[in-house]
Amino acid sequence: ILNVEQSPQSLHVQEGDSTNFTCSFPSSNFYALHWYRWETAKSPEALFVMTLNGDEKKKGRISATLNTKEGYSYLYIKGSQPEDSATYLCAFDSGAGSYQLTFGKGTKLSVIP
Amino acid sequence: SAVISQKPSRDICQRGTSLTIQCQVDSQVTMMFWYRQQPGQSLTLIATANQGSEATYESGFVIDKFPISRPNLTFSTLTVSNMSPEDSSIYLCSVETGQSNTEAFFGQGTRLTVV
């Protein structure tokens, strides 16, 4: 059973603050690491798919880093806005045959205006 | 990319009854996936549905409890049978477009409460 851990489970930040959270995953059999944003009553939306050790990706105020050797990824949000409030999921892809993702439990972010 | 319409968005059901969840995709896809997220838990894969063959179930999930149909390349249903309160979850369908290292696309989810 693959173990994908996310921390913290939840956090509250003030509007304008920057924040980050962590995803840890197995360092063996790595194929890709996905980040999704899931707003209530909406579809999970892909943020990043990361494959290379040391990779850093950015989309607007959100960025992510990847360390496959030690098995962790960080997601950063700069200058949080209320619309950033969502659950952020990471998913480990071992590339084992069919396309299967192992998800963490998510980090629930609430941005207080 | 793919746009998925999933319904119902939510339902409250009596124990012992069954609920069928539908997902319609705006393009043809080979593989569709059904997940559930129980309260406080991770999104967990129930089964992979391929058109023209029986679904492949993950450990802990069986066809009698979660029968799946995949009549064509754009549509699938998941039935939650003989429901109990433990089946209260969010159920999500998902597709992948067949290209490597691309993101998954999801339906809006079905929030099921069994009373």
Side-chain angles (χ1 to χ4, degrees):
Chain A
I1 297 178
L2 299 174
N3 198 28
V4 179
E5 300 283 345
Q6 289 189 249
S7 63
Q9 183 176 345
S10 66
L11 74 163
H12 294 75
V13 301
Q14 289 292 137
E15 181 176 355
D17 286 352
S18 295
T19 187
N20 65 85
F21 19 95
T22 307
C23 173
S24 63
F25 51 86
S27 55
S28 59
N29 299 319
F30 176 86
Y31 188 74
L33 193 283
H34 298 225
W35 281 101
Y36 293 87
R37 184 172 83 166
W38 192 5
E39 294 182 64
T40 303
K42 294 186 178 180
S43 308
E45 171 196 3
L47 292 172
F48 307 111
V49 178
M50 309 179 78
T51 56
L52 299 175
N53 183 46
D55 203 5
E56 181 171 343
K57 294 203 171 184
K58 187 175 181 181
K59 182 185 289 189
R61 294 179 290 100
I62 305 177
S63 60
T65 61
L66 179 68
N67 183 323
T68 60
K69 295 188 187 307
E70 297 180 41
Y72 64 84
S73 175
Y74 294 132
L75 189 79
Y76 300 90
I77 302 178
K78 184 178 179 182
S80 303
Q81 299 297 308
E83 57 265 30
D84 296 328
S85 297
T87 296
Y88 291 82
L89 300 173
C90 70
F92 174 78
D93 181 359
S94 65
S98 62
Y99 185 95
Q100 290 190 5
L101 301 178
T102 302
F103 285 85
K105 293 183 180 181
T107 293
K108 185 173 183 179
L109 173 67
S110 300
V111 181
I112 305 164
Chain B
S1 67
V3 176
I4 305 173
S5 175
Q6 181 175 345
K7 57 182 180 181
S9 58
R10 58 174 60 227
D11 207 341
I12 300 173
C13 300
Q14 295 289 327
R15 67 178 68 200
T17 63
S18 298
L19 175 72
T20 296
I21 302 166
Q22 300 180 3
C23 275
Q24 178 75 50
V25 190
D26 69 342
S27 58
Q28 294 185 338
V29 292
T30 304
M31 300 173 76
M32 292 182 73
F33 305 88
W34 287 96
Y35 290 86
R36 79 171 179 189
Q37 185 184 43
Q38 294 176 301
Q41 301 301 312
S42 310
L43 264 178
T44 302
L45 183 66
I46 298 171
T48 302
N50 298 321
Q51 193 268 336
S53 63
E54 282 217 354
T56 303
Y57 289 82
E58 298 301 306
S59 176
F61 299 97
V62 294
I63 187 171
D64 289 345
K65 176 67 176 177
F66 297 102
I68 287 171
S69 78
R70 184 81 201 275
N72 56 55
L73 291 174
T74 64
F75 187 78
S76 180
T77 68
L78 171 78
T79 299
V80 186
S81 302
N82 188 24
M83 288 184 283
S84 66
E86 293 70 38
D87 294 319
S88 298
S89 299
I90 298 174
Y91 291 84
L92 278 171
C93 62
S94 173
V95 304
E96 58 93 13
T97 58
Q99 301 171 22
S100 61
N101 297 337
T102 59
E103 67 266 31
F105 299 92
F106 292 89
Q108 301 96 323
T110 297
R111 184 179 291 273
L112 171 62
T113 303
V114 184
V115 298

